[in-house]
Amino acid sequence: DAKTTQPNSMESNEEEPVHLPCNHSTISGTDYIHWYRQLPSQGPEYVIHGLTSNVNNRMASLAIAEDRKSSTLILHRATLRDAAVYYCIPPTTSGTYKYIFGTGTRLKVLA
Amino acid sequence: DTEVTQTPKHLVMGMTNKKSLKCEQHMGHRAMYWYKQKAKKPPELMFVYSYEKLSINESVPSRFSPECPNSSLLNLHLHALQPEDSALYLCASSRVGNSGANVLTFGAGSRLTVL
């Protein structure tokens, strides 16, 4: 299984951009990198996913390194509601549904 | 309907009890998952069903017995659990195929306490 490394915690001021990194030690060539977040007392929720190039949606942007061994989730303007644990899920073994969560980064947003 | 519903929300059981956790979705997803989450830890994958067949068992002890009776339902039968099995049990579902691009939709979880 792919190993992931994420910082345990990060802090950001409200309305500032946040860059959350994730390193994956092994990768598959054809599968996607996913990011989820978990707010207190809730199940994880989908944030974004991508394959090789940078991706944007209404919640965030995802920057993927050329060798696909790392990715960065970008929240363009953090709000208090973005305080959560952010997990990256590296590419699965191709053709399986083995989505293994990374260690997670607890994001604190300061007012 | 874009939700995964898990029941019960809370469950307390003794080590000799038999109980079940239930998960339901009506999004037409044909892959369903059980994860276990201990406090301040990431969710750990336990089982995956694809087209109602067990496709992944992450070496989970036999006191946990999953069942997928139809494409909308996923159960986790619990028997002779230990106090260290106390955790939040999360169910998720997704579409199938698509080379790992499938998005997981999670339920809110069932919090289990084993006395």
Side-chain angles (χ1 to χ4, degrees):
Chain A
D1 297 337
K3 302 289 184 189
T4 61
T5 304
Q6 296 182 254
N8 285 336
S9 62
M10 293 182 68
E11 278 189 4
S12 172
N13 294 318
E14 203 175 7
E15 304 294 318
E16 299 270 328
V18 184
H19 291 233
L20 299 164
C22 178
N23 292 320
H24 347 109
S25 62
T26 59
I27 56 169
S28 158
T30 59
D31 285 352
Y32 286 67
I33 298 161
H34 292 243
W35 282 80
Y36 288 76
R37 70 180 186 182
Q38 189 171 23
L39 281 69
S41 302
Q42 294 188 23
E45 66 173 350
Y46 168 77
V47 177
I48 199 166
H49 70 297
L51 185 58
T52 54
S53 55
N54 297 346
V55 182
N56 301 294
N57 66 20
R58 64 174 181 82
M59 288 181 73
S61 294
L62 179 60
I64 300 171
E66 199 169 324
D67 63 5
R68 296 191 359 107
K69 291 190 176 181
S70 66
S71 61
T72 301
L73 179 69
I74 303 164
L75 306 179
H76 294 286
R77 292 176 65 194
T79 70
L80 296 177
R81 288 178 297 177
D82 291 322
V85 181
Y86 287 78
Y87 295 104
C88 73
I89 299 179
T92 66
T93 303
S94 186
T96 75
Y97 303 94
K98 200 170 182 180
Y99 296 101
I100 305 296
F101 280 69
T103 53
T105 298
R106 184 172 299 276
L107 176 64
K108 186 175 180 180
V109 180
L110 305 173
Chain B
D1 187 351
T2 58
E3 284 189 349
V4 173
T5 302
Q6 291 189 244
T7 54
K9 287 190 178 4
H10 299 274
L11 177 64
V12 179
M13 61 185 290
M15 289 190 284
T16 59
N17 292 157
K18 284 185 182 181
K19 297 283 185 184
S20 297
L21 305 180
K22 180 181 169 183
C23 173
E24 192 166 5
Q25 57 88 15
H26 297 286
M27 294 177 280
H29 290 170
R30 300 303 295 275
M32 296 187 78
Y33 310 74
W34 280 115
Y35 284 83
K36 172 183 177 180
Q37 186 175 28
K38 302 282 274 185
K40 299 194 184 302
K41 296 290 186 184
E44 297 175 29
L45 184 64
M46 299 175 73
F47 301 105
V48 181
Y49 275 82
S50 173
Y51 293 108
E52 296 85 69
K53 288 188 176 6
L54 184 65
S55 60
I56 295 176
N57 176 343
E58 287 286 272
S59 303
V60 178
S62 60
R63 57 185 184 270
F64 295 91
S65 174
E67 178 197 21
C68 191
N70 61 55
S71 61
S72 300
L73 275 177
L74 184 66
N75 297 320
L76 186 62
H77 301 298
L78 315 169
H79 174 54
L81 294 194
Q82 304 296 311
E84 58 265 28
D85 297 321
S86 299
L88 182 68
Y89 288 86
L90 293 160
C91 173
S93 69
S94 77
R95 295 179 179 173
V96 294
N98 218 8
S99 296
N102 303 302
V103 171
L104 301 176
T105 301
F106 281 85
S110 292
R111 186 162 299 283
L112 173 67
T113 302
V114 182
L115 300 176

